[in-house]
């Protein structure tokens, strides 16, 4: 799993590298006529997403201690926070004034955030599977690899968001 | 015609071929030494393993680390020197612009007068030349081996190439970046001539054509080609205002003779399958008139 | 999945009993379902060789067209398709997988374990490779082969200039085969970290296994850049995004950066395992231990690291400012230090030893003499100003055939002569092997040496013909003759292999008196590899007396170890039975890829469903927990 995360991280880094590479060659960024994505709402939801690592961590601890109730609650809460974030992304995309085909800026924006979104969906599905397994009583203090794997992946998706957020949301405001 | 990078006729190519000969010499020595060591190592233990006077580490560090590091220092020094020479800005340079098209080159002069031609670059002997390079479609690479190294022409980017010819003559070069079906026949000629001849040539190129041609204008030609001074102002194909003054047709695919011209117009695909000029069918009388007209475009 | 060792594990189990536990289905069923690393490894090797011969024949057809000026054997389009498929096949479908094949076969045997860490994943990566290769060749069969060169630069490869599906076969195929390489790399790494025999600390690991480890890490860091580069290309082609379209702000050079960020390490991804093989074979025939084990391993790791800082040397002519290029020029030259270290380590080994002549050694020597030359021309083209002349000419073509054929194909042939007896139980003929070597060696130099001169004389690469009167005729003719001679030499080895199946002398467990663990088991190696898992107490296990260790043979299981020192873990790993699931998952993915190709969402969804269903079964069967 660690190895997989390593390659995934490289994929994100390649894309983010591409973002800054293209940006370095442009006179104005985002290109004229396009507003940088607004920061207000996304900051709030960023905290929601990052915050979801807390219940996930809690679930992991509970699993190790054999408290199955804690596992279920932690997973469910993390799932809900992830889903809320995702829903916000979908809503917000509708209101952005540019599409993936207009300019390279749009292409990069959607590719990076879209890839993150896809990872989040995978995380949600894996989390769901873990919840089903927990409900069926498949875990105990000794057998909880699924929880560990899900939580590792979850933390990864959260951590990558920090990179993605700094790149596509923060950087156009900060570095002009 | 020669296109040999090792028979340089300009300072840039000369610096590079100097570097080349230095590297070949060092490389040959390294190769011979390494292979000798290998052969000796192979045969030295014929009568059974013999202990070595050198420790393994002496061998490995000596041959694999110390010697290469020394060699690389020399090489790095020579490389930096040659790099500085070929990229140094030039004073009093002739400036021109070359634009890559799928399978031909557009050549633009801004000084001393504005002029446009194709596939043929005239330069004054003994003067530095700065060529700005770009492309309208895919990547190409402008390269005259006897004068300088190559630089790519890339859409959305303007690159700079310095060159200079120290001897009058015609130098051939060829597109070096794969660009599609007729990458093979995307050559160009650089003609280095004394300053006075060069000036005369540019002024000729800048002049519009004396007359138009009905055939040229009512056939599809005018949609792709420009003949300055007439209503033909297409930009997909080469400017033909002074076609008859050019030595070759289709980016050095064939000599520029009346016969070849007629064949080219009839079906350019026979010369250059995949070229972007379509066959233009017309009756022989029209074709003759057209060729006769084009032949006047000195 | 893990279980605990049965208490009676110390006594050596009876062979018959073990055979029953480790049965493998025969025939077609076995072909589609086996997860045995040895069968998969051999299959990798044979499939890759099919692509080698396809690509070889393509090259020879090209050489016929180039034998004389203005030939018209091929149309320009066919010629472009041929060199594209030749280069693509050789790199993606021959070299990379054939080395993965050797890795697959040898790694568990050298490490003293019974299979890879994830045997089903292993089968999956084979199937993905085989299907991706087939997919890429589909274009050739329907007359729509990719034709933009093996690196498919934009804008030429963009929709606007390559409207047909040709390039989609390339782009999607490359992404698809990348999945196989990545999954394979994960498998190699985990196997090395978790499954070395007790006592085999990293510092006792055979150099070939080390080279696989380095290669796998390079894959994990490099392949994502290729995946992103080609995925953005396909997004532009299929969905109309603007990544590489300069008219909408896109950047053409971005593609080149992404491609070569993978492309340069890739050539060392090929070279490193090849050098690992050489490091096993040379000491065996020098009858001496490898000189400077630590130097060798450090150099391999060093090549791995440095190779990520060189990619721009493929882009010297793109107009990047010379100050930036200077860094990459110098960095490229420094790689000759670890390479030289390796060469001298092998020379030092031979120096101390007493040589026994044999075909594998001949191929190693062929490697050394060709590779050093290719390396030197590599350093020459790394010198920025000279590359401005040599770039995209036959000088570069000569350079990379010297390093790819000399540096990788010759070691692969050495490896075949060395390890095939282990795989089949039969020795190859030395006489035929010697003939094959000398034919290949002579043919190679005749074929590729003249190309250096052609490049210097101004002949660009990727031209389907050339005019008479440029002085290129004779050299091209020689090159063509050499190419055929080289091809003939490879055929002699094929004959040798076919012949050995019936008439080869039995190999016995250790025909070469080599020192690593794969030579401690019978040839061909039994399905379970080791009756009892050995305990390793040095770098040359076969030179000391192997001690029996924990078994698990009767449970279809193999021990796990942990840490640098390979200390035994309390748990052992069960080796899964044969299953269709990896095959079906791969087929599902292939259908997705075809769906993208024909731009039919339905097909894509069907594929996704098949893949997910197979994956579901896979995860469900994984008792208790996820892998
Ligand atoms: C296995 C494959 C392989 C290997 C090992 C190498 C090895 C090297 N390559 Fe090569 N290369 C390719 C495969 C490979 N290459 C391919 C496929 C291309 C073309 C891609 C394409 O465009 O299609 C290419 C192209 C290529 C280019 C771009 C050329 C161009 O397109 O213009 C450059 C430029 O720097 C380069 C440099 C080098 C260098 C410095 C090494 C070094 O690693 C070599 C180091 C080895 C030695 C030097 C020999 C041993 C050392 C000694 C005996 C010690 C003493 C030596 C000295 C002090 C010099 N290579
Ligand atoms: C490992 C990699 C590898 C290998 C082994 C080879 C092997 C060969 N290559 Fe390869 N080549 C590349 C990798 C490789 N190549 C790459 C990456 C490119 C760049 C592509 C691009 O530009 O996009 C390239 C490009 C390339 C070109 C340049 C094309 C161009 O730019 O226009 C040429 C031209 O001569 C060529 C020739 C050959 C030949 C003759 C062989 C021979 O060694 C082949 C030997 C033949 C066989 C193995 C087949 C077996 C023989 C038979 C079945 C019949 C024999 C019959 C008789 C003898 C009668 N190759
Ligand atoms: Cu233009 Cu090649
Ligand atoms: Cu490289």
């Amino acid at each position: 799993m660690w190895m997989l995360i390593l390659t995934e991280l490289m994929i994100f880094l390649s894309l983010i590298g591409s973002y800054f590479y293209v940006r370095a060659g442009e006179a104005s960024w985002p290109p004229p006529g396009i507003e940088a994505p607004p920061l207000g709402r996304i900051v709030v939801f960023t905290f929601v997403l990052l915050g979801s690592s807390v219940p996930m961590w809690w679930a992991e601890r509970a699993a190790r201690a054999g408290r199955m109730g804690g596992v279920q609650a932690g997973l469910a809460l993390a799932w809900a926070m992830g889903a809320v974030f995702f829903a916000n992304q979908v809503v917000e995309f509708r209101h952005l004034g540019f599409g993936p085909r207009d300019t390279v800026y749009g292409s990069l924006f959607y590719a990076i955030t879209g890839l993150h979104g896809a990872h989040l969906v995978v995380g949600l599905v894996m989390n769901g599977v873990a919840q089903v397994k927990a409900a069926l009583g498949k875990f105990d203090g000794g057998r909880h690899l699924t929880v560990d794997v899900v939580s590792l992946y979850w933390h990864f998706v959260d951590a990558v968001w920090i990179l993605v957020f700094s790149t596509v949301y923060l950087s156009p405001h900060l570095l002009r | 015609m020669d296109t040999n990078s090792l028979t340089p006729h300009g300072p840039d190519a000369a610096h590079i071929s100097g570097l080349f000969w230095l590297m070949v010499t060092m490389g040959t020595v390294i190769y011979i030494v390494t292979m000798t060591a290998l052969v000796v190592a192979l045969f030295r233990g014929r009568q059974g393993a013999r202990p070595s006077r050198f420790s393994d580490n002496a061998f490995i560090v000596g041959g694999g680390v110390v010697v290469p590091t020394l060699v690389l220092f020399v090489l790095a020094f020579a490389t930096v020197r040659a790099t500085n020479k070929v990229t140094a800005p030039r004073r009093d340079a002739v400036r021109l612009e070359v634009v890559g098209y799928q399978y031909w080159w557009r050549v633009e002069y801004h000084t001393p007068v504005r002029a446009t031609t194709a596939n043929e670059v005239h330069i004054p002997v003994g003067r530095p030349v700065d060529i700005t390079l770009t492309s309208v479609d895919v990547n190409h690479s402008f390269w005259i081996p006897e004068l300088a190294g190559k630089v790519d022409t890339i859409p959305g980017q303007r690159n700079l190439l310095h060159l200079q010819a120290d001897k009058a003559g015609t130098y051939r070069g060829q597109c070096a970046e794969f660009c599609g079906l007729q990458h093979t026949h995307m050559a160009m000629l650089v003609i280095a001539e004394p300053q006075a001849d060069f000036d005369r040539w540019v002024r000729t190129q800048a002049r519009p054509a004396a007359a138009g041609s009905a055939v040229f204008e009512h056939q599809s030609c005018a949609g792709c080609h420009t003949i300055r001074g007439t209503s033909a102002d297409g930009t997909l194909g080469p400017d033909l205002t002074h076609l008859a003054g050019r030595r070759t047709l289709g980016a050095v695919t064939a000599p520029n003779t009346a016969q070849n011209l007629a064949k080219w117009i009839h079906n350019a695909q026979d010369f250059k399958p995949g070229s972007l000029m379509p066959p233009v069918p017309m009756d022989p009388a029209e074709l003759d008139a057209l060729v006769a007209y084009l032949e006047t475009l000195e | 999945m893990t279980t605990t060792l049965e208490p009676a594990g110390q006594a050596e189990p009876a062979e018959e009993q073990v055979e029953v536990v480790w049965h493998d289905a025969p025939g077609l069923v076995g072909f589609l379902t086996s997860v045995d690393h040895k069968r998969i490894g051999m299959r990798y090797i044979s499939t890759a060789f099919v692509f080698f011969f396809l690509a070889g024949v393509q090259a020879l057809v090209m050489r016929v067209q180039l034998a004389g000026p203005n030939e018209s054997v091929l149309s320009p389009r066919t010629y472009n398709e041929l060199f594209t498929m030749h280069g693509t096949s050789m790199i993606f479908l021959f070299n990379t997988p054939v080395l993965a094949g050797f890795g697959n076969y040898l790694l568990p045997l050298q490490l003293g374990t019974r299979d890879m860490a994830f045997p089903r994943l292993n089968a999956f990566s084979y199937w993905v490779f085989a299907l991706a290769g087939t997919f890429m060749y589909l274009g050739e069969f329907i007359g729509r082969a990719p034709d933009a060169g093996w690196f498919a630069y934009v804008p030429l490869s963009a929709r606007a200039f390559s409207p047909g599906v040709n390039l989609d076969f390339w782009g999607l195929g490359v992404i698809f085969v990348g999945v196989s390489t990545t999954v394979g790399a994960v498998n190699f790494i985990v196997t090395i970290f978790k499954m070395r025999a007790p006592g085999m600390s990293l510092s006792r690991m055979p150099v070939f296994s080390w080279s696989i480890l380095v290669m796998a890490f390079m894959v994990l860091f490099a392949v994502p850049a290729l995946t992103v580069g080609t995925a953005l290309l396909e997004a532009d082609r299929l969905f109309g995004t603007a990544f590489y379209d300069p008219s909408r702000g896109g950047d053409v050079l971005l593609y080149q950066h992404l491609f070569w960020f993978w492309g340069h390490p890739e050539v060392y991804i090929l070279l490193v395992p090849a050098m690992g093989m050489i490091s096993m074979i040379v000491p065996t025939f020098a009858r001496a231990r490898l000189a400077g084990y630590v130097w060798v391993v450090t150099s391999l790791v060093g090549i791995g690291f440095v190779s990520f800082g060189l990619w721009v040397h493929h882009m010297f002519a793109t107009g990047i400012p010379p100050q930036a290029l200077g860094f990459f020029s110098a960095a490229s030259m420094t790689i000759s230090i670890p390479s030289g270290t390796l060469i001298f380590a092998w020379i030092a080994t031979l120096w101390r030893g007493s040589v026994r002549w044999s075909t594998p050694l001949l191929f190693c020597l062929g490697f050394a003499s060709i590779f050093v030359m290719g390396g030197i021309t590599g350093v020459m083209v790394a010198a920025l100003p000279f590359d401005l002349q040599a770039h995209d000419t036959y000088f570069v073509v000569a350079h990379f055939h010297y390093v790819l054929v000399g540096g990788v194909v010759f070691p692969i042939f050495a490896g075949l002569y060395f390890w095939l007896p282990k795989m089949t139980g039969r020795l190859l003929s030395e006489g035929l092997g010697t003939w094959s070597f000398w034919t290949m060696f002579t043919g190679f130099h005749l074929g590729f040496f003249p190309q250096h001169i052609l490049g210097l004389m101004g002949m660009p690469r990727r031209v389907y013909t050339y005019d008479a009167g440029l002085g290129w005729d004779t050299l091209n003719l020689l090159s063509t003759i050499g190419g055929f001679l080289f091809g003939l030499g490879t055929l002699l080895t094929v004959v040798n292999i076919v012949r050995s199946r019936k008439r080869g002398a039995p190999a016995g467990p250790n025909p070469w008196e080599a020192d690593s663990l794969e030579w401690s088991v019978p040839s061909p190696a039994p399905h379970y590899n080791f009756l009892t898992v050995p305990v390793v107490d040095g770098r040359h296990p076969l030179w000391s007396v192997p001690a029996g260790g924990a078994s698990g043979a009767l449970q279809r299981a193999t021990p796990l170890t942990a840490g640098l020192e390979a200390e035994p873990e309390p748990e052992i790993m069960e080796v899964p039975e044969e299953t269709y699931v990896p095959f079906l998952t791969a087929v599902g993915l292939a259908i997705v890829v075809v769906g993208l190709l024909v731009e039919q969402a339905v097909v894509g969804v069907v594929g996704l469903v098949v893949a997910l269903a197979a994956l579901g079964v896979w995860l469900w069967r994984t008792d208790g927990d996820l892998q």
Side-chain angles (χ1 to χ4, degrees):
Chain A
M1 198 66 204
W2 273 107
M3 299 300 140
L4 210 67
I5 285 180
L6 193 69
T7 20
E8 298 256 41
L9 185 64
M10 282 305 294
I11 291 193
F12 276 103
L13 288 181
S14 305
L15 271 173
I16 289 172
S18 304
Y19 183 93
F20 284 109
Y21 176 79
V22 170
R23 177 182 174 159
E26 295 284 306
S28 76
W29 191 259
I34 293 180
E35 287 282 307
L39 277 181
R41 257 170 74 172
I42 192 70
V43 170
V44 176
F45 282 91
T46 294
F47 280 112
V48 172
L49 181 69
L50 297 186
S52 73
S53 268
V54 175
M56 192 46 94
W57 171 73
W58 180 29
E60 207 182 322
R61 291 255 318 229
R64 218 164 295 149
R67 286 182 281 109
M68 284 311 118
V71 173
Q72 287 193 29
L75 286 175
L77 187 54
W79 195 93
M81 291 166 83
V84 166
F85 174 86
F86 185 73
N88 173 63
Q89 285 294 75
V90 174
V91 173
E92 226 185 21
F93 276 9
R94 295 250 187 99
H95 296 291
L96 288 173
F98 55 88
R101 284 167 213 196
D102 307 345
T103 63
V104 67
Y105 174 77
S107 300
L108 281 166
F109 179 90
Y110 285 99
I112 297 175
T113 50
L115 186 70
H116 183 265
H119 278 75
L120 189 55
V121 170
V122 172
L124 290 173
V125 171
M126 285 170 61
N127 185 328
V129 172
Q131 290 192 47
V132 172
K133 280 194 162 183
L136 293 177
K138 290 220 167 193
F139 302 134
D140 56 45
R143 296 173 78 86
H144 50 74
L145 187 63
T146 311
V147 183
D148 297 352
V149 168
V150 168
S151 116
L152 180 61
Y153 190 78
W154 196 272
H155 295 317
F156 164 70
V157 173
D158 283 3
V160 161
W161 177 252
I162 300 179
L163 275 178
V164 171
F165 175 74
S166 324
T167 305
V168 301
Y169 287 96
L170 272 185
S171 81
H173 292 275
L174 292 182
L175 323 156
R176 277 178 191 279
Chain B
M1 200 176 306
D2 247 7
T3 59
N4 194 331
S5 62
L6 301 181
T7 51
H9 289 296
D12 302 282
H15 292 309
I16 297 178
S17 79
L19 179 64
F20 168 81
W21 286 113
L22 172 73
M23 292 195 296
V24 167
T25 315
M26 294 193 336
T28 312
V29 172
I30 293 171
Y31 188 74
I32 292 175
V33 169
T34 315
M35 288 305 119
T36 313
L38 179 64
V39 171
V40 172
L42 278 172
F43 291 100
R44 138 175 217 288
R46 253 169 318 171
Q47 264 85 47
R50 275 199 283 152
S52 160
R53 245 182 307 131
F54 319 105
S55 74
D56 288 352
N57 283 352
F59 232 110
I60 296 171
V61 176
V65 183
V66 177
V67 175
T69 308
L70 294 178
V71 171
L72 292 185
F73 265 108
V74 177
L75 198 54
F77 181 73
T79 302
V80 170
R81 246 174 58 120
T83 307
N84 288 343
K85 293 232 167 89
V86 300
T87 58
R90 312 291 155 93
R91 294 209 285 151
D92 185 32
V94 181
R95 276 172 217 289
L96 57 100
E97 185 177 325
V98 171
V99 184
Y101 281 72
Q102 267 179 326
Y103 326 130
W104 60 280
W105 310 90
R106 187 175 60 151
V107 184
E108 297 265 4
Y109 290 82
H110 302 293
T111 50
V113 284
R114 288 186 72 89
T116 303
T117 181
N119 305 327
E120 225 171 74
V121 181
H122 286 240
I123 60 172
V125 160
R127 253 184 84 188
V129 180
D130 283 0
I131 306 185
T132 307
L133 295 165
T134 187
S135 161
V136 296
D137 40 43
V138 304
N139 301 351
H140 309 271
S141 195
F142 184 88
W143 182 38
I144 311 289
E146 288 172 303
L147 299 184
K150 60 182 73 60
V151 172
D152 294 349
T153 72
I154 296 175
Q157 194 174 313
R158 297 174 74 76
N159 288 340
L160 184 63
L161 172 69
H162 303 293
L163 56 76
Q164 177 175 332
D166 287 340
K167 207 177 93 189
T170 304
Y171 303 100
R172 183 182 185 276
Q174 204 168 331
C175 173
E177 182 66 62
F178 179 63
C179 51
L181 285 176
Q182 279 301 338
H183 164 62
T184 302
H185 289 122
M186 183 169 169
M188 65 292 223
L189 297 178
V190 169
I191 293 144
E193 52 202 2
Q195 182 79 41
D197 294 353
F198 169 74
D199 289 339
R200 201 170 322 118
W201 178 83
V202 181
R203 273 182 234 298
T204 318
Q205 294 299 309
R207 266 200 298 273
S213 144
V215 186
F216 194 87
E217 279 156 46
H218 92 248
Q219 285 286 353
S220 53
C221 319
C224 298
H225 293 284
T226 296
I227 296 182
R228 277 170 281 135
T230 76
S231 68
D233 61 354
T235 53
L236 297 178
D239 182 308
L240 301 179
T241 315
H242 296 282
L243 176 70
R246 297 212 272 269
R247 291 174 173 130
T248 64
L249 290 176
V252 201
T253 305
N256 186 0
T257 62
Q259 216 184 4
N260 281 339
L261 190 55
K263 278 204 231 157
W264 173 275
I265 295 167
H266 176 67
N267 189 353
Q269 304 296 316
D270 289 343
F271 278 88
K272 210 170 160 177
S275 126
L276 297 187
M277 165 148 165
V280 187
M282 61 182 84
D283 58 60
E286 269 189 327
L287 186 58
D288 286 347
L290 186 57
V291 170
Y293 164 71
L294 291 172
E295 290 281 284
T296 66
L297 298 172
E298 284 282 346
Chain C
M1 94 217 62
T2 54
T3 176
T4 26
L5 186 63
E6 85 267 21
Q10 295 308 325
E12 181 150 322
E15 234 167 274
E16 303 78 56
Q17 266 175 302
V18 176
E19 290 286 355
V20 176
V21 180
W22 291 81
H23 66 88
D24 207 357
L28 183 66
V29 177
F31 182 75
L32 293 178
T33 61
S34 177
V35 299
D36 176 6
H37 74 96
K38 294 179 291 301
R39 291 185 73 174
I40 294 172
M42 287 173 69
R43 207 177 286 163
Y44 253 115
I45 296 174
S46 38
T47 312
F49 263 94
V50 170
F51 289 117
F52 175 66
F53 282 102
L54 283 173
V57 170
Q58 288 163 344
L60 295 183
V61 176
M62 283 171 0
R63 284 305 334 165
V64 171
Q65 162 76 10
L66 293 176
N70 294 319
E71 292 259 12
S72 51
V73 182
L74 301 171
S75 72
R77 160 151 289 124
T78 315
Y79 185 86
N80 294 350
E81 294 178 354
L82 284 177
F83 73 68
T84 303
M85 286 308 283
H86 167 70
T88 305
S89 314
M90 284 293 187
I91 303 275
F92 290 96
L93 306 178
F94 167 60
N95 267 342
T96 317
V98 82
L99 292 166
F102 277 102
N104 255 310
Y105 191 96
L106 293 174
L107 196 62
L109 284 167
Q110 285 192 341
L111 298 181
T113 180
R114 294 201 172 94
D115 210 316
M116 299 282 282
F118 308 116
R120 282 168 296 196
L121 216 53
N122 204 20
F124 171 73
S125 41
Y126 168 76
W127 286 116
V128 170
F129 150 60
L131 290 170
T134 315
F135 174 78
M136 285 196 195
Y137 267 86
L138 225 58
E140 182 121 338
F141 294 135
I142 65 166
R144 295 267 190 290
D147 55 0
W150 83 279
F151 40 73
Y153 277 177
V154 291
L156 184 60
S157 57
R159 210 25 129 214
F161 302 100
S162 296
V165 292
N166 310 43
L167 258 296
D168 296 321
F169 281 112
W170 186 87
L172 297 170
V174 163
I175 298 175
F176 195 27
V177 81
V179 172
S180 158
T181 321
T182 307
V183 169
V186 171
N187 213 342
F188 283 135
I189 294 176
V190 179
T191 306
I192 289 175
F193 282 147
K194 298 294 291 179
M195 303 187 56
R196 277 168 289 135
M200 182 180 283
S201 60
L202 280 181
S203 61
R204 289 175 181 164
M205 201 161 74
V207 177
F208 178 72
S209 302
W210 261 109
S211 70
I212 292 286
L213 182 64
V214 173
M215 176 272 267
F217 268 109
M218 290 170 72
V219 165
L220 290 193
F221 282 102
V223 170
L226 173 71
T227 309
V228 168
T230 38
L232 300 188
L233 171 64
E234 283 303 321
D236 276 7
R237 289 181 59 84
L238 300 175
F239 312 123
T241 48
F243 295 106
Y244 303 132
D245 177 0
S247 69
R248 286 178 288 165
D251 195 291
V252 171
L253 285 190
L254 172 62
Y255 177 84
Q256 298 192 14
H257 282 293
L258 288 170
F259 186 89
W260 291 115
F261 188 81
W262 162 83
H264 184 79
E266 167 67 13
V267 303
Y268 298 109
I269 287 172
L270 306 176
L271 182 72
V272 162
M275 289 179 144
M277 290 178 161
I278 301 284
S279 306
M280 305 298 293
I281 300 173
V282 165
T284 304
F285 294 102
R287 291 182 277 197
R289 69 181 163 69
L290 177 65
Y293 176 94
V294 174
W295 286 104
V296 168
V297 170
T298 313
S299 300
L300 291 176
V301 175
I303 289 179
F305 273 103
V306 180
S307 67
F308 282 90
L310 315 182
W311 79 94
V312 175
H313 70 204
H314 296 274
M315 303 166 60
F316 281 160
T318 56
I320 296 170
Q323 295 78 351
L325 296 181
F327 167 80
F328 290 97
S329 183
S332 303
M333 292 179 183
T334 59
I335 204 125
S336 47
I337 295 173
S339 307
T341 308
L342 286 159
I343 298 276
F344 280 92
W346 299 320
I347 294 182
T349 309
L350 291 165
W351 194 275
R352 242 193 311 92
S354 165
V355 169
R356 184 169 59 172
W357 290 95
S358 68
T359 316
L361 183 67
L362 277 183
F363 276 100
C364 291
L365 299 174
F367 153 83
S369 68
I370 299 173
F371 170 75
V372 170
M373 214 160 132
I376 290 172
T377 55
V379 173
M380 291 172 68
V381 287
L384 167 60
F386 176 64
D387 188 58
L388 296 179
Q389 286 285 16
H391 176 61
D392 271 336
T393 68
Y394 265 84
F395 191 90
V396 170
V397 176
H399 157 65
F400 68 69
H401 282 91
Y402 266 76
V403 279
L404 279 171
V405 180
V408 187
V409 175
F410 272 68
I412 288 169
F413 274 73
L416 274 183
Y417 279 91
F418 191 64
W419 277 297
L420 209 67
K422 174 56 58 191
M423 301 178 186
T424 62
R426 303 282 186 160
L427 287 172
L428 296 170
S429 147
E430 283 289 311
L432 214 51
T434 311
W435 271 101
S436 174
F437 169 76
W438 286 109
T439 321
M440 284 171 69
F441 188 77
T442 322
F444 178 80
H445 282 293
L446 186 61
F448 294 102
F449 191 81
Q451 295 187 352
H452 293 108
I453 306 171
L454 280 171
L456 295 168
M457 290 176 69
M459 180 167 170
R461 63 194 282 202
R462 298 172 167 182
V463 292
Y464 71 87
T465 190
Y466 50 91
D467 282 338
L470 293 164
W472 303 344
D473 314 7
T474 319
L475 291 168
N476 268 303
L477 183 62
L478 287 180
S479 178
T480 300
I481 296 172
F484 274 88
L485 203 58
F486 179 87
L488 190 70
T490 64
L491 287 188
L492 291 181
T493 290
V494 175
V495 172
N496 202 349
I497 293 172
V498 173
R499 191 192 144 276
S500 79
R501 297 309 290 259
K502 284 227 171 66
R503 279 193 276 158
N510 191 357
W512 318 117
E513 293 156 34
D515 65 350
S516 47
L517 284 176
E518 74 268 31
W519 302 106
S520 69
V521 302
S523 310
H527 187 177
Y528 47 85
N529 291 0
F530 301 91
L531 267 181
T532 63
V533 166
V535 171
V536 177
D537 61 358
R539 257 180 217 156
H540 313 282
L542 292 203
W543 293 353
S544 53
V545 186
S551 175
L554 287 170
Q555 289 159 294
R556 206 185 162 95
T558 191
L560 294 173
T561 54
L564 297 181
E565 300 298 327
E567 277 138 23
E569 294 240 57
E571 293 171 327
I572 60 179
M573 185 193 101
E574 276 178 29
V575 176
E577 311 231 332
E578 54 270 60
T579 158
Y580 281 107
V581 165
F583 174 63
L584 292 178
T585 315
V587 169
L589 283 186
I591 299 176
V592 175
V593 171
V594 172
L596 282 168
L597 177 84
V598 297
E599 296 185 54
Q600 291 293 328
V602 193
V603 183
V605 171
V606 169
L608 214 56
V609 170
V610 173
L612 287 180
L615 204 63
V617 176
W618 189 336
L619 294 184
W620 192 254
R621 289 240 198 101
T622 307
D623 299 346
D625 271 311
L626 287 164
Q627 269 187 355

